[in-house]
Amino acid sequence: MASKCEICCEIVIAILIPPLGVCFRHGCCTVEFFICLLLTILGYIPGIIYALYTILFVDREQARGDYYHPLS
């Protein structure tokens, strides 16, 4: 489980450089990273929205079953 400070830093980085924030959270060779990279290339705002979504709502340690849930 990530600390509150770690999540806040990832959010700030995701606003400045969306793929980098996703890379810190999920790794650089993940589907989330490549989707964020593509969205950032196509438009900066969609990249930010997706990066914030993946940082806040996608748990990296969860198995494929129940993959999406809010972090608490």
Side-chain angles (χ1 to χ4, degrees), residues 4-71:
K4 302 276 185 195
C5 182
E6 184 178 335
I7 292 173
C8 288
C9 291
E10 290 171 352
I11 289 172
V12 170
I13 292 170
I15 291 171
L16 298 174
I17 307 168
L20 188 60
V22 174
C23 179
F24 286 158
R25 183 78 178 153
H26 296 282
C28 291
C29 292
T30 60
V31 174
E32 288 86 3
F33 173 75
F34 288 113
I35 291 173
C36 186
L37 183 64
L38 179 66
L39 287 172
T40 303
I41 290 170
L42 294 175
Y44 185 66
I45 301 298
I48 292 174
I49 293 170
Y50 184 76
L52 293 176
Y53 171 76
T54 58
I55 289 170
L56 295 174
F57 294 109
V58 178
D59 190 6
R60 63 181 162 188
E61 284 118 20
Q62 193 71 338
R64 288 280 185 220
D66 183 26
Y67 195 65
Y68 297 97
H69 61 84
L71 296 173

